[in-house]
Amino acid sequence: GEGVPATMLGQRVVAMTRFGGYAQLAVTDHRAVSVVPDSLGIGEACALATQGCTAWYMARFAWPLRSGQRVLIHSAAGGVGQLLVQMAVHEGCEVFAIASGAEKMTYLKKLGAHHAIDRSIGDYALQVERALSGKRIDVSFNAVGGSSFKKDIKLIGSGGAVVLYGGAERGSG
């Protein structure tokens, strides 16, 4: 379209769209488009454009991560979660990563999580409390919502926050 830089024409791209992004063809402003290098798979490019943008926004704007913070990440082995784990580790945070199952615990440890919390073996909040040894969480990145919100509030210290970015549980209250 009009105004598109010539360097973008004919390139493999990934784009943000307001609606209709799962269509075979989509129209969006060229400023919402990034060229995808040949070395990057299209699946990875799509993940970075969706889950990556969500993780980046939360860790840079909703709650800017800083060294020394204690960070709780729900659904830590999912697309957004694993990116948040890596970003928090990179910033020097102490990471409490919640997922389900031994395989995911191993994976989260490989990503650098300090505490891999397996919700399939019991109440995650009790496991986090034990790992905290009397300290408090600075921020919870929560994709679950529902009953986990109240549990997270009890784990958060003064001045901390729960950043909700999903509602997998959709529970009441």
Side-chain angles (χ1 to χ4, degrees), residues 10-164:
Q11 298 288 325
R12 255 180 10 132
V13 298
V14 64
M16 293 298 191
T17 62
R18 186 158 180 220
F19 298 105
Y22 291 113
Q24 186 175 4
L25 300 172
V27 176
T28 193
D29 188 300
H30 75 275
R31 293 170 295 181
V33 174
S34 290
V35 173
V36 177
D38 291 335
S39 61
L40 186 65
I42 199 68
E44 292 168 306
C46 288
L48 288 171
T50 53
Q51 290 99 341
C53 285
T54 301
W56 184 264
Y57 180 82
M58 289 188 303
R60 295 290 182 256
F61 296 98
W63 182 273
L65 294 174
R66 302 288 181 256
S67 182
Q69 291 176 335
R70 287 179 293 281
V71 179
L72 179 64
I73 302 170
H74 286 267
S75 305
V80 174
Q82 62 183 297
L83 291 167
L84 283 169
V85 168
Q86 293 173 77
M87 293 172 78
V89 168
H90 178 76
E91 290 298 328
C93 300
E94 183 178 359
V95 177
F96 297 77
I98 302 171
S100 183
E103 188 176 321
K104 290 179 182 176
M105 297 302 103
T106 301
Y107 178 67
L108 292 169
K109 287 286 192 180
K110 285 181 183 175
L111 289 181
H114 302 90
H115 310 276
I117 308 295
D118 188 347
R119 62 181 163 79
S120 69
I121 64 169
D123 185 346
Y124 80 85
L126 294 175
Q127 295 178 64
V128 171
E129 275 184 23
R130 281 193 293 273
L132 283 168
S133 301
K135 296 177 184 154
R136 308 297 262 163
I137 292 291
D138 293 297
V139 64
S140 167
F141 293 110
N142 187 322
V144 179
S147 64
S148 69
F149 179 79
K150 288 183 180 179
K151 289 181 181 183
D152 285 8
I153 289 293
K154 291 178 182 177
L155 295 168
I156 298 291
S158 178
V162 175
V163 179
L164 292 170

